[in-house]
Amino acid sequence: MLAVRVDEFGDPSVLACVEVPEPVVGPGRTLIEVDSAGVNFGDVLVRWGEYFGRRALPVVPGWEVVGTVATADPEGPFRVGDRVAALLDGNGYAQRVAAPTEDVAPVPGHISDQVALAMVIQGATAWRLLETLSPGERILVSGAGSGVTHLLIQLARQRGAGEITVVSSSEEKAAHVLRLGADQAVLSDGDGSLRDRLADQLERKVDLVIDMVGGETLEAMLRQLRPGGRAVVYGVAGGTPTKISTGALLKNGWNVSGLWLGHPGSLSFQEILAELFELSRSGRLNPTLGPVLPLARAGEAHRAVEARTGVGKVVLDCRPA
Ligand SMILES: NC(=O)c1ccc[n+]([C@@H]2O[C@H](COP(=O)([O-])OP(=O)(O)OC[C@H]3O[C@@H](n4cnc5c(N)ncnc54)[C@H](OP(=O)(O)O)[C@@H]3O)[C@@H](O)[C@H]2O)c1
């Protein structure tokens, strides 16, 4: 079968579409014939060899697929031919994958591959980031071009959030998040500091900060967190983690936590996806969709994600040509 493999870390040209051995399905695994694989920002870090110190080569990137069950797990709920989505521990850019059965979920016929893939990691992350949200709470979130942010804004609105403010790197992305339901956007670059712009634009401090950029962005956002407020960190896209003093935590009574989708939450992956698919079916949750490219053009897909042009969910078509 074909897969896209990285044999040396580097720019998108290192993504090579090659013949690889079939995956082996053991206990607790479901073999999926992949129709489409999602491309995520983290895949770019894997390709550069910068994903949380993971440096083993060769590596097949990809953490999410949609396809049909080819070999069912005898202990699992699925049958051969079922249409499913899966959250993987890697190896997703391939024509077949062996997925952990506990992270396989059914996909209704009315949900397209691209929408399903936008929900697997981005949607489930957005859902989990809002797990503690109470109606009326004011949110400050970074990454106006992020697929997670786009879904989070819509979910937060439905859950009765108060004012939603988004930090944006461009006017165009700012306009997009306002269309999705954000109340205001603050530009990350421009005259003066983000810290001052946030202080100028926010009338009151916020209850919840949600960040995936890190560095000075999170530092500036924390300045706007009210005493006793919460901050959730789920990425470091800017490449520099933020240093937060324990003195500041103590003095402000802040609760700062991290979110990692792979860790268990209050609902299972299947339960979260079922809710997200239903919201999508009823038109209440609309991911921003980007290009669909053949598996062999994974390099182009990575260039689109890395360019930060706000292209939306990028997907690889893995069906045989
Ligand atoms: N913890 C978890 O379980 C989990 C789950 C999903 C995603 N994530 C992380 O969450 C982040 C967003 O994921 P996504 O799927 O929404 O990605 P996405 O749609 O590809 O968007 C990428 C985001 O990263 C921002 N970004 C990229 N390079 C940057 C830089 N050098 N400085 C500042 N911002 C930069 C982009 O900024 P613009 O807004 O300017 O375009 C955009 O907001 C990624 O870091 C990803 O790894 C973590």
Side-chain angles (χ1 to χ4, degrees):
M1 69 161 192
L2 290 173
V4 169
R5 197 174 64 197
V6 173
D7 289 329
E8 56 176 323
F9 298 121
D11 68 25
S13 66
V14 301
L15 294 165
C17 195
V18 292
E19 274 293 334
V20 300
E22 294 283 332
V24 179
V25 250
R29 296 261 159 180
T30 299
L31 186 71
I32 299 171
E33 185 82 34
V34 179
D35 290 328
S36 305
V39 177
N40 284 284
F41 183 79
D43 304 345
V44 171
L45 302 180
V46 168
R47 198 200 70 225
W48 283 115
E50 288 172 6
Y51 191 76
F52 294 103
R54 290 193 198 172
R55 302 277 303 165
L57 286 171
V59 59
V60 173
W63 287 303
E64 58 185 8
V65 294
V66 172
T68 51
V69 173
T71 305
D73 175 354
E75 306 282 305
F78 302 104
R79 294 184 181 182
V80 171
D82 284 352
R83 183 162 183 253
V84 292
L87 180 62
L88 309 170
D89 36 20
N91 298 307
Y93 294 4
Q95 291 182 319
R96 277 177 287 288
V97 299
T101 305
E102 62 183 10
D103 289 329
V104 177
V107 182
H110 54 79
I111 301 285
S112 71
D113 284 10
Q114 215 176 352
V115 168
L117 287 168
M119 300 302 178
V120 171
I121 291 182
Q122 293 179 332
T125 301
W127 193 99
R128 291 274 300 274
L129 285 166
L130 295 176
E131 236 175 330
T132 63
L133 184 77
S134 298
E137 285 193 316
R138 297 157 56 83
I139 306 176
L140 175 57
V141 54
S142 57
S146 143
V148 174
T149 301
H150 295 173
L151 294 166
L152 184 141
I153 292 167
Q154 298 170 65
L155 289 172
R157 232 14 353 138
Q158 285 160 35
R159 293 183 192 182
E163 191 173 61
I164 303 172
T165 304
V166 184
V167 175
S168 175
S169 61
S170 77
E171 295 279 7
E172 196 189 343
K173 290 172 192 173
H176 188 59
V177 294
L178 295 180
R179 281 194 297 274
L180 292 173
D183 294 291
Q184 59 176 340
V186 178
L187 291 179
S188 52
D189 305 312
D191 293 338
S193 65
L194 173 61
R195 187 172 141 180
D196 290 345
R197 274 191 298 284
L198 283 171
D200 283 349
Q201 262 180 259
L202 283 166
E203 268 177 30
R204 275 192 297 134
K205 295 213 170 186
V206 303
D207 303 288
L208 177 60
V209 160
I210 297 176
D211 178 61
M212 51 82 179
V213 174
E216 289 176 3
T217 302
L218 176 56
E219 244 172 63
M221 291 168 80
L222 285 174
R223 293 259 166 192
Q224 297 306 318
L225 185 60
R226 70 162 169 81
R230 314 183 302 288
V232 191
V233 175
Y234 73 102
V236 193
T240 313
T242 309
K243 286 186 183 153
I244 302 171
S245 89
T246 49
L249 294 183
L250 180 66
K251 194 175 87 185
N252 293 293
W254 286 335
N255 180 346
V256 180
S257 60
L259 180 118
W260 187 257
L261 186 60
H263 295 151
S266 65
L267 288 190
S268 70
F269 173 66
Q270 288 90 347
E271 287 169 314
I272 294 173
L273 270 203
E275 190 178 321
L276 296 173
F277 288 156
E278 175 52 26
L279 288 170
S280 167
R281 189 199 60 76
S282 61
R284 285 175 290 162
L285 189 60
N286 296 297
T288 309
L289 301 180
V292 180
L293 294 159
L295 183 62
R297 282 165 61 193
E300 212 175 302
H302 273 221
R303 278 189 199 94
V305 171
E306 254 175 315
R308 291 174 67 188
T309 43
V311 283
K313 187 70 199 173
V314 181
V315 162
L316 297 173
D317 185 341
C318 301
R319 296 169 183 89

